[in-house]
Amino acid sequence: MSDEFYRIKRLPPYVIAEVNAMRAAARAGGEDIIDLGMGNPDLPPPPHVIDKLCEVARKPDAHGYSASKGIPGLRKAQANYYARRFNVELDPDTEVVVTMGSKEGLSSLANAITAPGDVVLAPNPSYPIHTFGFIIAGATIRSVPTTPDEEYWRALDRAMAFTVPKPSVLVVGYPSNPTAEVVDLAFYERLVAWAKENKVWVLSDLAYSELYYDGCPTPSILQVPGAKDVAVEFTSMSKTYSMAGWRMGFAVGNTQLIAALTRVKSYLDYGAFTPIQAAACAALNGPQDIVASNRALYHKRRDVMVEAFGRAGWDIPPPRASMFAWAPLPPALAHMGSLEFSKQLLTHAKVAVAPGVGYGEDGEGYVRIAMVENEQRLRQAARNVKRYLTSMGVNTPGHAVNG
C-alpha cells in the first residue's frame, strides 16, 4: 500500500541502504567488518560535557518539555561561537534556532519555505537531505555541480535563465559531504551577490566547519557583509564535539528564514531534552581543546589512510577538510560502477564504504570513505583491500605496489 503515498512515491530508492543491509547481515553472521561507510564518529564527547548532562538530568525539574527553538543559554552560546570563530554578530533571539542536528533543521526549513512545484538548486553529488528534504516538501530539484569552479557559476546562470518557475532556493555545503571540497571567502562573496541579484535564498550547510586541515580554517557565508539578507547557515555539534547521537545543531542568519523555521518547529517538536541542551552549552562555552585534538586526529587518520591505501594500489586524493575521502574507483575496476564495487569490497575485503551514486548520479565512479576507525584498523582495511585488488588482477606487475 505504501507505494500509493504521494511523498513516498517521490523518493528514489536509498542506494546506500543496500550496502548498509549487506554490512548488517555480514556482522550478524559474525564477520569483522571495518566500517568506513557511515560518518559516525568513534570518539567520545569531552568528559565535562557528559558530566553536565548527568548533573542536569538529576534535577527533578529538568524532565518536562523543553523550548522548541532552544533554551536561551544555548542560543547565546551559539551566537558567542560565531563571534569568536567568524567575527559574526548574531542576535540569539531572532537569528539563532536550535535544531535536532543539521539534518532535521534542513528538512524542517524545506517544509517551512517550499510550495509544491517550487524549484530548488542543489549540488550533485551532495548529502541526501539537501535534495530529499525538498523533494519530501514537494519541490522539484535542479542539479548544479558541487565543484566550485567557473562551470558552477555557468550552471547557476543557466538554471535562472531556463527554469520555470525560476529557482527560489540554492543549497550549498562546504566542506562538502561527500566530496570534501572547500571554498574560500571570495566564493561566498560572489554567491551572496548572485543570490541578491537573482532573489534566491541560500542555505549553507557548514557541518564540518572545524574539520579542516593544512592550516586553512573554513569560512562562513555569514562573514560576507549583507549575507544575512539572503542566507541561513546550519552547523552541527556531531563532528566538532563527537556528539552525533545527541542530535544537536543550529540554524543561524536571516531573520525571516529563522522565524519560518522556528514556527514550523513549534508545531513539530518541543525541542531536545533539556539536559542535552545544557550539555551542549558546556561544550560551546567550555574548554575548546577537543576541537583542535579531534582535528589533529582526523588529519593523522587522513594521512595514514592515503598512504596505506596508496601502497595497496588504490590512489586516494587527500581531502582538505571533513571526515571523508572522495575516492575514484581503481581504474581497472571502474567498469563495475560504485554500487557493485562497494558490494564487492564488503564481501571480499570486509571493508564497508559508501557508493558515490548514493549522493547523486554525478557521484558515479567514486566511493566515500569515512575516517571513523583508528589508524590500526585503517591499515588493516588497506591490507584487506590489497588482497582483494590482487585477486582481481589489479596488483599485477603492470600495477606494481609496495608493502
Side-chain angles (χ1 to χ4, degrees):
M1 290 285 286
S2 66
D3 58 353
E4 299 301 315
F5 297 134
Y6 166 72
R7 285 184 171 79
I8 303 298
K9 278 196 295 187
R10 299 195 78 229
L11 288 172
Y14 198 45
V15 174
I16 298 164
E18 274 193 66
V19 179
N20 289 347
M22 286 181 64
R23 179 193 63 210
R27 281 191 162 161
E31 295 184 41
D32 178 25
I33 302 297
I34 301 172
D35 188 2
L36 309 179
M38 190 174 177
N40 196 6
D42 60 322
L43 309 168
H48 71 273
V49 174
I50 297 171
D51 291 344
K52 178 58 73 172
L53 173 74
C54 297
E55 174 197 324
V56 179
R58 289 192 186 96
K59 295 182 177 178
D61 61 350
H63 301 275
Y65 295 125
S66 192
S68 176
K69 68 185 290 188
I71 61 175
L74 183 52
R75 285 182 278 116
K76 187 174 180 184
Q78 175 68 352
N80 290 341
Y81 162 73
Y82 261 79
R84 190 170 68 230
R85 171 71 165 80
F86 301 113
N87 198 27
V88 169
E89 296 299 320
L90 294 169
D91 182 332
D93 290 325
T94 60
E95 296 178 330
V96 180
V97 62
V98 179
T99 64
M100 294 185 189
S102 53
K103 192 174 184 180
E104 179 270 329
L106 277 156
S107 57
S108 291
L109 184 58
N111 277 309
I113 66 175
T114 306
D118 281 359
V119 176
V120 171
L121 302 177
N124 188 346
S126 77
Y127 186 54
I129 200 67
H130 294 165
T131 51
F132 294 171
F134 283 97
I135 289 170
I136 291 169
T140 299
I141 301 296
R142 177 163 176 147
S143 292
V144 294
T146 302
T147 302
D149 56 13
E150 283 306 312
E151 176 51 34
Y152 178 85
W153 300 104
R154 286 192 288 271
L156 289 189
D157 288 338
R158 279 197 304 274
M160 297 312 297
F162 299 114
T163 311
V164 178
K166 286 191 183 300
S168 54
V169 175
L170 167 67
V171 182
V172 294
Y174 299 102
S176 167
N177 177 6
T179 71
E181 290 169 291
V182 296
V183 294
D184 57 15
L185 196 56
F187 173 87
Y188 286 135
E189 288 168 350
R190 187 171 174 183
L191 191 65
V192 168
W194 178 89
K196 288 186 175 186
E197 181 185 337
N198 290 281
K199 298 182 172 57
V200 171
W201 295 116
V202 179
L203 313 187
S204 168
D205 187 350
L206 193 62
Y208 299 91
S209 59
E210 301 308 329
L211 291 184
Y212 56 83
Y213 312 121
D214 309 318
C216 297
T218 310
S220 159
I221 191 172
L222 299 183
Q223 288 173 259
V224 178
K228 282 197 251 180
D229 296 340
V230 291
V232 292
E233 189 156 70
F234 293 88
T235 55
S236 165
M237 305 192 72
S238 297
K239 313 310 187 294
T240 307
Y241 298 98
S242 301
M243 294 168 66
W246 299 50
R247 308 313 303 132
M248 273 280 100
F250 302 90
V252 304
N254 178 270
T255 53
Q256 195 178 341
L257 293 178
I258 294 298
L261 173 56
T262 302
R263 183 150 187 226
V264 162
K265 277 178 61 61
S266 73
Y267 285 92
L268 297 177
D269 68 66
Y270 285 111
F273 186 39
T274 300
I276 289 180
Q277 295 197 53
C281 289
L284 286 167
N285 293 335
Q288 297 299 300
D289 42 343
I290 184 173
V291 179
S293 63
N294 276 0
R295 185 185 306 126
L297 184 139
Y298 282 116
H299 194 166
K300 187 79 194 309
R301 287 181 179 181
R302 178 198 76 168
D303 293 347
V304 166
M305 183 190 66
V306 168
E307 187 267 338
F309 277 60
R311 285 196 293 115
W314 188 3
D315 290 327
I316 296 173
R320 292 166 63 188
S322 86
M323 63 196 304
F324 304 113
W326 187 237
L329 303 190
L333 303 180
H335 62 277
M336 283 187 184
S338 63
L339 181 56
E340 181 59 29
F341 175 76
S342 298
K343 291 178 176 179
Q344 294 278 337
L345 210 59
L346 184 64
T347 302
H348 301 294
K350 311 304 178 196
V351 174
V353 297
V357 72
Y359 301 93
E361 62 192 59
D362 291 345
E364 184 53 270
Y366 293 83
V367 294
R368 193 194 73 175
I369 303 174
M371 299 180 282
V372 291
E373 295 263 17
N374 63 39
E375 293 168 30
Q376 181 185 344
R377 295 279 281 173
L378 290 171
R379 289 193 172 96
Q380 178 63 54
R383 288 193 292 272
N384 293 3
V385 165
K386 183 181 179 182
R387 275 200 302 274
Y388 167 63
L389 293 178
T390 301
S391 76
M392 297 297 289
V394 174
N395 291 344
T396 58
H399 299 87
V401 292
N402 303 315

